[in-house]
Amino acid sequence: MFEILVNRELAPGIKLLEVKSPDITKKVKPGQFIVLRINEKGERIPLTVADKHPERGSLDIIYQEVGKTTRELGCLGKGEFLLDLVGPLGKPGEIAKYGTIILIGGGVGIATLFPYIKAFKKAGNKIISILGARTKELFFLEKEIENLSDEFYITTDDGSYGKKGFVTDLLKDLTEKKIDLVLAVGPLVMMKAVRQITKPLKILTWVSLNTIMLDGTGMCGSCRVTVGDEVKFACVDGPEFQADKVDFDELIFRNQRFSKEEAISLNIYNEKCGNKRCPKN
Ligand SMILES: Cc1cc2nc3c(=O)[nH]c(=O)nc-3n(C[C@H](O)[C@H](O)[C@H](O)COP(=O)(O)OP(=O)(O)OC[C@H]3O[C@@H](n4cnc5c(N)ncnc54)[C@H](O)[C@@H]3O)c2cc1C
Ligand code: FES
């Protein structure tokens, strides 16, 4: 059992969960994730480790309440427990001195980007960060990321904050300079659009793929993705891959394969809860 130390809202529908797990905290590296299960009837969901606190033996997870399990997670409070926490899973990111790196975070992908920014900065790189969200209220970790960045940009779809438009609009301008690496984390369509800009320019680009994962150990095949001519499993071969070879169209299609069941499950949960967001945290 894994004790919850904090579970609080950072932005509407986005929460920070600090959970005690000294073993995972000791081993986890940027880009790695855990799979958690709330209780015996719960589904297993993968979430990135956004930060760690060795002094408390705990790790931070930042999650968006998008469906039944993340909504249920949002209703747990300090002092309650998670049944299972497995990790660290996935390959750690390749942290080194590349030169100038553009790091792009879209939506809750900003959570996955944060440990990379810290590690790349420590490795001596010049950091250009671009954060994007639908609207102003949805940003989190903004000050922390700005403080680590040599250049820092914000975009919103509705223009309520920063530059109006998508992260890719800014990326186009920024790639006029010499860029050694781009790392993008966010919705699949965003990562695909980033690749469309960087591929013709031959800029090394990595993406962190949020495929549907079940066991997280390479056994079930759920997270299958085509990369070049090869079949890969994002949970053990990734989640980070070189963007130019990823078959995004296949992945976008495969990620929708349980949409009907997910909607039914959320409806049942909403009916049980009277369609209210949990007020506890
Ligand atoms: C390696 C990895 C790291 C991730 N890190 C984060 C993170 O740090 N913060 C965050 O908010 N989200 C993260 N996700 C996505 C997160 O796992 C899903 O949002 C979550 O599983 C949704 O579950 P649900 O029951 O609340 O929603 P559901 O209604 O079941 O699903 C909503 C959407 O979430 C996705 N999803 C559903 N089940 C899974 C699953 N088992 N595995 C992966 N995706 C699923 C699907 O795209 C689905 O359409 C990550 C996914 C992966 C693969
Ligand atoms: S989640 Fe089962 S093989 Fe990757």
Side-chain angles (χ1 to χ4, degrees):
M1 301 283 271
F2 298 86
E3 188 185 354
I4 293 173
L5 305 180
V6 174
N7 196 13
R8 69 178 166 84
E9 193 159 76
L10 295 179
I14 298 176
K15 286 186 175 158
L16 171 96
L17 174 77
E18 183 182 342
V19 61
K20 205 151 180 174
S21 176
D23 290 346
I24 300 178
T25 303
K26 258 185 233 153
K27 294 181 198 149
V28 71
K29 299 207 168 78
Q32 290 189 297
F33 63 95
I34 53 91
V35 166
L36 67 77
R37 198 160 61 122
I38 295 175
N39 53 42
E40 274 176 9
K41 288 188 178 170
E43 88 175 316
R44 298 159 56 84
I45 61 161
L47 296 165
T48 306
V49 177
D51 210 350
K52 57 182 177 180
H53 308 284
E55 69 289 2
R56 295 197 285 279
S58 63
L59 43 92
D60 287 351
I61 289 161
I62 296 176
Y63 63 98
Q64 188 161 27
E65 297 175 294
V66 289
K68 191 239 174 191
T69 303
T70 45
R71 284 280 308 280
E72 213 175 351
L73 189 60
C75 287
L76 297 176
K78 184 176 176 331
E80 291 189 88
F81 291 84
L82 301 175
L83 179 64
D84 298 322
L85 201 63
V86 183
L89 298 171
K91 281 190 183 167
E94 287 173 32
I95 307 301
K97 187 163 179 185
Y98 293 88
T100 302
I101 308 182
I102 299 185
L103 294 118
I104 305 170
V108 78
I110 294 169
T112 302
L113 203 67
F114 184 56
Y116 277 108
I117 295 180
K118 283 214 288 196
F120 279 134
K121 180 77 184 175
K122 205 169 160 196
N125 294 286
K126 179 178 175 186
I127 305 291
I128 303 177
S129 304
I130 311 176
L131 307 185
R134 282 198 318 277
T135 189
K136 184 179 179 182
E137 290 72 46
L138 295 176
F139 285 100
F140 55 90
L141 294 179
E142 186 194 330
K143 278 285 149 259
E144 290 86 341
I145 292 178
E146 188 174 6
N147 290 340
L148 289 166
S149 305
D150 297 283
E151 291 179 38
F152 178 75
Y153 303 94
I154 292 267
T155 65
T156 46
D157 299 4
D158 64 2
S160 55
Y161 193 36
K163 188 177 159 91
K164 185 176 188 317
F166 299 128
V167 289
T168 40
D169 300 332
L170 266 170
L171 180 65
K172 276 182 205 143
D173 301 339
L174 293 169
T175 48
E176 282 168 16
K177 303 177 203 164
K178 183 183 172 295
I179 302 299
D180 299 291
L181 175 70
V182 170
L183 169 66
V185 193
L188 291 172
V189 283
M190 182 204 94
M191 294 190 282
K192 184 182 169 191
V194 166
R195 190 264 302 272
Q196 270 159 358
I197 294 171
T198 58
K199 193 173 175 178
L201 299 171
K202 297 192 170 52
I203 301 172
L204 175 64
T205 302
W206 293 341
V207 286
S208 183
L209 299 181
N210 47 333
T211 56
I212 293 187
M213 293 186 183
L214 299 180
D215 66 331
T217 63
M219 302 288 281
C220 72
S222 172
C223 64
R224 173 166 62 79
V225 56
T226 306
V227 182
D229 296 331
E230 292 179 276
V231 169
K232 298 280 184 186
F233 297 103
C235 66
V236 286
D237 300 318
E240 193 188 278
F241 292 96
Q242 221 167 294
D244 57 339
K245 298 187 184 131
V246 173
D247 186 339
F248 279 103
D249 295 333
E250 179 195 61
L251 186 51
I252 289 166
F253 178 73
R254 275 179 57 73
N255 257 23
Q256 291 162 355
R257 67 195 190 276
F258 300 118
S259 307
K260 209 170 125 198
E261 289 80 4
E262 285 159 3
I264 293 170
S265 175
L266 183 59
N267 274 344
I268 296 171
Y269 183 77
N270 280 341
E271 273 170 25
K272 210 169 77 186
C273 293
N275 219 0
K276 285 191 191 113
R277 294 263 158 196
C278 186
K280 200 190 275 177
N281 299 302

